[in-house]
Amino acid sequence: MPKSSSRPRWLLPLLVIVIVLALAMLTPRLPGDPTVARAIQGLGIPPAPAAWITSLAGRPSVYVVLAIGLVLATWRGRLRALVATAVLMGLWWYGGEPLKEVVHRPRPTAEFVEVVRASSGFSFPSTFATTWFSAWIPLAIYAWRTRQRAAGTAVSVVAWILVLAGAWARVRMGAHWPSDLLMTFGLVWATFVLIDQAVATLEG
C-alpha cells in the first residue's frame, strides 16, 4: 500500500510548532538576537515608519488590516481561503495573549538594543505579529497558488513584503527580538497550514 502523500504536510507544521514553543519557553533570547537587532536598527532608517506600521495593529486600524487581508485572500483562494483565513485570524486574536502568559519570554531591554517605545507584557508570541501575519501570510500563499492567473505573483510578492515590513518594524522599535518575530512567523505559518489542510479535507 503506498504511503499517504498528505502525511508530510501535517508533520512539518506540527514539528515547527513543537520546536518554536520549546525554544520560546527555554530561552529568553537566542545568542544572535542582540547583534541582529542592532544591525537592523543601525540601517539608518528612523523609527517613524516602524511606529506607523505598528499603529496599524491598533484599534480601529487593525480591523481594516484584517478585513483587507481576508477579502484579498478570498479573492485569490475562494471559499477555502475565506474559511481558513477567518479561522486563523480568530485563533490568534483570542489565543495570542494567553499563550504569552504560558511562555513568559522577556522583551528586549535598553541594555542590549535601542528601545524606542517601552512595551508591556511578554514578547512571545508578538501580538502585533500574530495579527499582522494572520492578515498577510494566507494572502501571500493563496495568491502564489494562483500565480498562473493575472496578478497572482504580484499580489503574493506584495503580501510577503508586508510580512517582512511588519517584522522589521517591531525589531526597529526594540519591542521584540528577531527570534520573537521569526518564531511567531513559524507559529502562524504552521497553524495556517494545519487549518488550510483541515478545510481542504472537509471540502473533499
Side-chain angles (χ1 to χ4, degrees):
M1 179 180 294
K3 294 182 179 180
S4 172
S5 60
S6 65
R7 184 176 178 183
R9 298 179 185 177
W10 291 89
L11 184 59
L12 178 59
L14 286 175
L15 186 61
V16 168
I17 291 172
V18 170
I19 292 173
V20 162
L21 291 178
L23 280 174
M25 286 189 284
L26 295 174
T27 63
R29 61 182 179 275
L30 295 185
D33 271 334
T35 301
V36 175
R38 286 193 294 267
I40 291 172
Q41 293 182 333
L43 292 175
I45 304 174
W52 178 76
I53 292 172
T54 294
S55 72
L56 295 178
R59 295 180 177 90
S61 302
V62 64
Y63 300 122
V64 177
V65 170
L66 291 173
I68 292 173
L70 182 62
V71 169
L72 292 178
T74 304
W75 169 48
R76 303 316 300 181
R78 307 304 181 191
L79 180 60
R80 175 174 172 179
L82 172 63
V83 175
T85 305
V87 171
L88 180 73
M89 289 176 174
L91 173 66
W92 287 115
W93 184 268
Y94 292 104
E97 289 299 320
L99 184 56
K100 278 187 178 183
E101 297 301 320
V102 174
V103 176
H104 276 216
R105 201 172 204 238
R107 289 184 183 270
T109 62
E111 175 187 0
F112 297 101
V113 296
E114 177 190 2
V115 178
V116 177
R117 186 183 301 159
S119 301
S120 61
F122 298 105
S123 69
F124 177 87
S126 163
T127 303
F128 168 89
T130 53
T131 303
W132 190 257
F133 294 164
S134 293
W136 306 124
I137 288 176
L139 173 60
I141 292 173
Y142 288 123
W144 180 253
R145 289 177 184 172
T146 62
R147 61 190 180 277
Q148 292 181 338
R149 301 208 306 265
T153 301
V155 171
S156 182
V157 170
V158 170
W160 284 121
I161 290 173
L162 289 171
V163 168
L164 292 173
W168 165 81
R170 299 309 284 156
V171 176
R172 178 62 186 88
M173 295 292 289
H176 293 283
W177 294 115
S179 63
D180 290 330
L181 279 304
L182 181 61
M183 290 192 294
T184 302
F185 172 86
L187 201 59
V188 175
W189 171 84
T191 53
F192 165 71
V193 171
L194 293 174
I195 293 168
D196 180 62
Q197 287 297 314
V199 174
T201 300
L202 291 174
E203 282 185 337

